[in-house]
Amino acid sequence: MKIIKSSDRMQALSKRLWGERITIGFVPTMGALHRGHLSLIERARKGNDVVVVSIFVNPTQFGPGEDYLRYPRTFEADKKICKSSGVDYVFVPDARDMYGQTHLTYVNVENMSDILCGKFRPGHFKGVATIVAKLFNIVMPTRAYFGSKDYQQLAIIKQMTKDLNFPVNIIACPTVRESSGLALSSRNRYLSPVEHARSAKIAQSLQLSSMLVKNKKFRDSKKIIDSMADIIKTIPGAVIDYICISDTETLQPVLHIKKDVLASIAVRVGKTRLIDNMILRLNKLRKNVSL
Ligand code: AMP
């Protein structure tokens, strides 16, 4: 496994790999790797000749007062995880290399970036889309792997890839959870043990919403949102940023559920902001199925 720090060297390597028709599986991360990241790496390992993992805590996706400075940086442990999971190259640029002093160009995916998390984190998805576009140009992946845990990010990246004609296949991977249901996240390490245990209710609220839709109890989004909020309100001190039922592609709010939808939630537990989501399936009997 090789560590590459310079974007020029990374791009030169990728050009050579393309010349040799070697496929590149790419997993962009901010480090502090856990089993969620590992699941992406394993998918990339199975589907490509080489695997590149990037580790970069991207300053442009953090707003003022957010956790950029205290975001966990665990490079030695990350390196070990990458090595033992068969990663070929770890790309770890620094902020000066990625943005220099004269960076003036940003990517903004309109309509999708200022709703849900974007409403509470202005500029966040502009930072995400910009860094991912830059990483695509540097790493030149054949396939890039993203977690459904960050569903809005995934949907925005899919849209950007289509709109800007990046020759990259975006592969969506399922959310990896703890046995309690809590979605794994690098930010979970901010939680105290008590907050950690209580945060499992976030996943429970999503499971409830899934059941309510599956069992045809509710088709009215507001009723589902209220039922989820009732669970979250039992977490002492939790503050709900949003609970939304949205279209799975455009992310626009859905008031009455007629097809599969996305339920997403962002909650602040103490000082930690947690997000999670689930696709709510209508579980309709499929037509034209011969028994
Ligand atoms: P991050 O390091 O948090 O920027 O995440 C890097 C990638 O890992 C993103 O595509 C995330 O969606 C994905 N990821 C983070 N947590 C999980 C999880 N629990 N399950 C699956 N993928 C995840």
Side-chain angles (χ1 to χ4, degrees), residues 55 113 166 178 246 277 280 288:
I55 298 178
S113 297
F166 281 106
E178 294 182 359
S246 318
N277 69 80
L280 311 184
N288 304 325

Side-chain angles (χ1 to χ4, degrees), residues 27-37 39-40 61 71 145-151 153 173-177 182-187:
V27 181
T29 81
M30 297 206 298
L33 301 184
H34 50 67
R35 282 189 294 115
H37 298 111
S39 70
L40 272 50
Q61 69 187 68
Y71 195 85
Y145 296 78
F146 291 87
S148 303
K149 150 84 171 38
D150 300 279
Y151 193 97
Q153 168 174 285
C173 302
T175 301
V176 177
R177 299 176 181 279
L182 179 66
L184 294 186
S185 162
S186 304
R187 288 191 169 97

